[in-house]
Amino acid sequence: MLHLRLITPADRTEAVVEVIGSTVGTTHLVVLPGAARNPEGDLVLCDVAREAGDQLLHELRLLGVDRDGSIAVENIDLTLSKRADEAELEAPGEPADAVIWEQLAEATHEESALTITYAAFMILATMIAACGVVLDNAILIVGAMAVGPEFGPLAGVCTGVVQRRPRLAARSLAALLIGFAAAIVATTVFSLVMDALGLFREGLLDDPRPNTSFIWQPDPFSFVVAVLAGTAGMLSLTSAKSGALVGVAISVTTVPAGANAAVALSYGDFGQMWGSTEQLLLNLAGIIVAGVLTLLAWKVLWRTQRGRWRRPLPRG
């Protein structure tokens, strides 16, 4: 269930209550006239089944509540209410399959911000991966994949494209490209320092590396895995099953490819550098294509369900 806290202009409260009452899966409606002070208006509270949440938010925005008042949405972890159980049964579909588009856009907006923390995680993940590729250590590679924060901006690009929000898409793409550029530059310097300390050497990069050679040798499977991972990642975001993101993080070779490109660049091995760069771009493209198609499929499904979110208001 979702809990909505609305501040509505007094002249629109009746329309808001009518929309809530006509949306399936809503319950626990509370109206407090004149309770809001900033902005001024009435306070309206209600709970709604997650499956019906997006449709209700869409209707409320058409009334301009978000512009002239406020809409706050919270996830309810536990509700002990017979009426809430009935509302869940009334709403078509399952909560895990529900997509709250505004929530998705807000989440990806936060995850795609080019912050110091984001850049630090990207640089650290790439440095860890650099140690993994030089030592041919699969454990370090997996660790670097899990630390890398690049899926946030990737999801932001996909959401921006599907929702026609060019600012979100451009901001996410900028964070993605700048993050990788900074990580590769920092890791190149890191590799040179490690070489000066005698911990890295060029021969290690040229030695057979059965555990990590795939990082700079892209093939059709690279794109296939990226597409599958991108689909799984977007499904995990839209259904709020964030635990699946860990699996997505360790299934694609974006950060390790960037790390191998940086180490190869530090030694002037342009063959491996370009191979790694191709692997990186192939994976990024596969994830974006899969993410966009997944969100488009959800959007089409949501539109086919529109007629099922309405119910007749009781008379009298």
Side-chain angles (χ1 to χ4, degrees):
M1 296 286 290
L2 300 174
H3 177 68
L4 272 62
R5 185 181 73 252
L6 314 173
I7 296 178
T8 66
D11 61 341
R12 261 167 279 180
T13 300
E14 185 176 346
V16 167
V17 171
E18 182 177 344
V19 165
I20 294 173
S22 64
T23 302
V24 299
T26 56
T27 186
H28 304 153
L29 176 61
V30 177
V31 180
L32 301 174
R37 292 292 180 267
N38 184 21
E40 291 187 356
D42 301 332
L43 181 63
V44 180
L45 309 174
C46 73
D47 295 340
V48 59
R50 183 178 174 85
E51 307 93 292
D54 190 74
Q55 177 63 23
L56 180 56
L57 290 174
H58 176 71
E59 298 283 348
L60 292 173
R61 294 195 69 184
L62 289 179
L63 292 174
V65 177
D66 59 321
R67 183 183 64 252
D68 302 320
S70 170
I71 302 175
V73 183
E74 300 174 349
N75 288 307
I76 301 176
D77 295 327
L78 175 64
T79 300
L80 302 178
S81 166
K82 180 180 179 181
R83 184 63 192 95
D85 295 338
E86 293 173 350
E88 285 279 10
L89 293 174
E90 182 185 33
E94 296 294 331
D97 295 333
V99 181
I100 310 297
W101 291 100
E102 293 299 329
Q103 191 177 58
L104 176 62
E106 182 66 21
T108 53
H109 185 274
E110 292 179 1
E111 292 293 329
S112 63
L114 184 59
T115 62
I116 295 176
T117 301
Y118 167 79
F121 271 117
M122 183 68 79
I123 292 171
L124 291 172
T126 309
M127 288 180 176
I128 293 172
C131 296
V133 297
V134 170
L135 299 175
D136 194 36
N137 188 313
I139 295 177
L140 292 177
I141 294 297
V142 171
M145 291 177 176
V147 172
E150 74 277 12
F151 192 78
L154 285 167
V157 172
C158 298
T159 304
V161 170
V162 174
Q163 290 292 87
R164 298 179 182 178
R165 299 189 179 191
R167 286 189 177 182
L168 175 59
R171 166 183 166 160
S172 301
L173 186 60
L176 189 68
L177 297 179
I178 294 174
F180 269 109
I184 290 174
V185 170
T187 304
T188 300
V189 175
F190 171 75
S191 178
L192 293 171
V193 172
M194 293 292 280
D195 180 76
L197 295 174
L199 298 175
F200 282 9
R201 60 180 177 83
E202 187 173 1
L204 292 174
L205 198 64
D206 295 328
D207 289 343
R209 292 183 287 153
N211 292 322
T212 58
S213 60
F214 69 93
I215 292 172
W216 59 278
Q217 295 175 332
D219 56 30
F221 278 106
S222 301
F223 186 77
V224 171
V225 171
V227 168
L228 296 175
T231 303
M234 293 311 302
L235 285 175
S236 71
L237 286 179
T238 55
S239 65
K241 292 189 175 296
S242 58
L245 283 177
V246 176
V248 173
I250 64 176
S251 62
V252 290
T253 55
T254 49
V255 167
N260 200 81
V263 176
L265 177 62
S266 69
Y267 287 117
D269 189 338
F270 297 107
Q272 281 203 37
M273 186 194 75
W274 288 117
S276 302
T277 302
E278 183 181 349
Q279 176 77 276
L280 173 61
L281 296 176
L282 195 63
N283 277 275
L284 293 178
I287 293 173
I288 290 175
V289 168
V292 168
L293 292 178
T294 300
L295 291 180
L296 285 174
W298 275 124
K299 201 163 191 177
V300 170
L301 180 62
W302 176 74
R303 285 178 177 174
T304 62
Q305 300 291 322
R306 275 189 176 179
R308 304 176 64 187
W309 306 115
R310 311 295 293 180
R311 65 184 175 197
L313 288 172
R315 297 181 180 179

